[in-house]
Amino acid sequence: MANPKQEPTLDSADLLTEISVAYYQDGATQEEISKKFSISRAKVGRLLKQARDEGIVEITVKYHPVFSAKIEQRLIERFGVKRALVALDQPNEEAQRQQVAGLVSHYLAATIKSGDVVTVGQGRNVSAVAHHIGVITPRDCKFVCSIGGIHPRGGMFNADHICRQFAKNYGGTSETLYAPAYAENREQKLAFMQNTTIKQTLDSARKADVALVGIGDMSENSYMVDLGWFTADEVVQSRLQQGVVGDFAGYDFFDIHGNAANTVMSDRVIGLGIDEFKPISQVIAIAAENSKPLALLGALRTGAIDVIATSVSNALTVLNLDEQMK
């Protein structure tokens, strides 16, 4: 006859699941579970750990907004930015982008005044802000492209489309930069930059009161490669040979220390560079995706950012990286 006090030797998935549900969902204590399954309390603890290790139980920490406020203050103190907008972590990339976009949209609506000029970049994150649904009091402000146009496949993420959407939201006006974002070579870029119409729009962008830009990371699977602006090899070589970790507003490429890197890609961009953003009184930079801590750290070190918008996990990683590199 089997000893009734003998503990089970087979920790099946069913047993692990039953114990996990009892503990995490039903609120049973380890002592209660011990009696119910006729196993020792120590065994219950080991099984609960095994359930976590095998992925049967996934624990997610839901940060309280007060926690975000503390992280925001740390970013302000560490990098000298005026504001930090830190969104709580979300289960997927799109949800995270929307969460960050909501914070930025609310911030813009609270700070932009009638008569202000806002220069706008390109990309998914900036587009998400323009398309965020919220209540905005109409005001007479102007939205100007800080970079040229992109391939039709990137329509919604085009600076011109984004400017028009912002103008619609605010009841203001928009100004297009009538040039491609990326020329085929340096000579073509210089020819475009000599055009009077293009010069006038870029001058307007340089004199803006507010700038809204995205921070890109350097990946062969990046948005820039996907649309054919640069080859995967150009991106990889810039990362490996010049230490490039990201791009600022789709234009200047920089390393982890925030230094601009002169790459073959930089010679082909038609728009404002990092140094041209610095005189703008309020530069808001967005990096929502969890693949961007290195790019975000490098961008913060450029000294061009006044307001940073990102997630809790990105912010904590950036703070830890900065501390480790000192």
Side-chain angles (χ1 to χ4, degrees):
M1 179 180 292
N3 185 346
K5 292 188 176 181
Q6 185 176 351
E7 296 184 351
T9 57
L10 180 61
D11 301 331
S12 69
D14 287 344
L15 176 61
L16 292 174
T17 302
E18 277 193 74
I19 290 176
S20 299
V21 169
Y23 185 72
Y24 291 105
Q25 185 172 297
D26 299 337
T29 65
Q30 291 192 21
E31 184 64 34
E32 290 169 340
I33 294 171
S34 169
K35 292 176 180 177
K36 179 179 178 179
F37 291 91
S38 300
I39 55 179
S40 69
R41 187 170 175 177
K43 179 72 170 181
V44 173
R46 289 197 296 271
L47 291 175
L48 288 172
K49 181 181 183 303
Q50 184 179 339
R52 295 195 299 273
D53 292 343
E54 294 184 7
I56 292 172
V57 172
E58 292 183 351
I59 298 176
T60 303
V61 177
K62 294 291 186 181
Y63 295 112
H64 190 276
V66 171
F67 181 72
S68 290
K70 291 180 179 178
I71 297 174
E72 290 168 11
Q73 191 57 40
R74 288 176 64 193
L75 288 170
I76 290 169
E77 293 171 357
R78 185 76 59 85
F79 298 103
V81 292
K82 297 174 183 175
R83 280 293 305 273
L85 308 174
V86 181
L88 299 182
D89 289 340
Q90 300 301 308
N92 59 65
E93 188 173 280
E94 184 55 33
Q96 189 66 70
R97 187 177 295 116
Q98 293 303 320
Q99 187 83 354
V100 173
L103 290 181
V104 178
S105 177
H106 179 75
Y107 180 80
L108 282 174
T111 55
I112 295 177
K113 308 180 300 296
S114 286
D116 278 353
V117 174
V118 182
T119 188
V120 178
Q122 63 181 11
R124 295 183 180 94
N125 286 314
V126 182
S127 178
V129 177
H131 289 88
H132 179 76
I133 298 173
V135 178
I136 296 174
T137 304
R139 65 207 73 173
D140 183 20
C141 46
K142 184 178 182 181
F143 298 89
V144 182
C145 297
S146 64
I147 192 168
I150 58 179
H151 191 282
R153 279 198 299 134
M156 275 188 65
F157 312 134
N158 194 320
D160 179 55
H161 174 90
I162 296 169
C163 277
R164 291 175 189 271
Q165 184 63 40
F166 271 125
K168 180 180 177 181
N169 295 347
Y170 282 83
T173 59
S174 66
E175 183 173 338
T176 303
L177 178 58
Y178 289 104
Y182 302 95
E184 293 180 9
N185 50 57
R186 186 171 186 274
E187 291 70 29
Q188 190 182 81
K189 169 193 170 173
L190 293 177
F192 273 115
M193 296 293 275
Q194 295 304 311
N195 179 275
T196 302
T197 302
I198 294 171
K199 276 185 175 181
Q200 289 175 343
T201 300
L202 287 176
D203 281 342
S204 180
R206 291 183 186 101
K207 296 172 185 175
D209 302 286
V210 179
L212 181 64
V213 301
I215 301 301
D217 56 339
M218 298 304 290
S219 166
E220 53 270 40
N221 300 315
S222 74
Y223 180 63
M224 294 184 293
V225 173
D226 182 48
L227 287 182
W229 299 333
F230 308 122
T231 66
D233 185 61
E234 285 175 330
V235 171
V236 171
Q237 291 307 312
S238 293
R239 188 176 69 227
L240 295 179
Q241 295 183 10
Q242 295 169 293
V244 176
V245 296
D247 71 85
F248 192 95
Y251 187 106
D252 271 336
F253 298 84
F254 51 81
D255 63 20
I256 193 67
H257 304 291
N259 301 316
N262 186 24
T263 71
V264 292
M265 298 182 293
S266 304
D267 283 337
R268 288 156 44 192
V269 184
I270 300 172
L272 298 189
I274 292 178
D275 289 339
E276 293 173 299
F277 279 103
K278 289 179 179 179
I280 297 174
S281 62
Q282 191 161 208
V283 177
I284 305 167
I286 316 170
E289 298 84 356
N290 61 12
S291 61
K292 294 186 174 179
L294 285 177
L296 185 53
L297 177 57
L300 283 165
R301 288 173 167 177
T302 66
I305 297 174
D306 300 293
V307 179
I308 189 67
T310 191
S311 66
V312 164
S313 57
N314 272 351
L316 289 175
T317 303
V318 165
L319 288 165
N320 289 334
L321 284 171
D322 185 63
E323 185 65 33
Q324 290 169 15
M325 292 177 67
K326 286 185 176 179

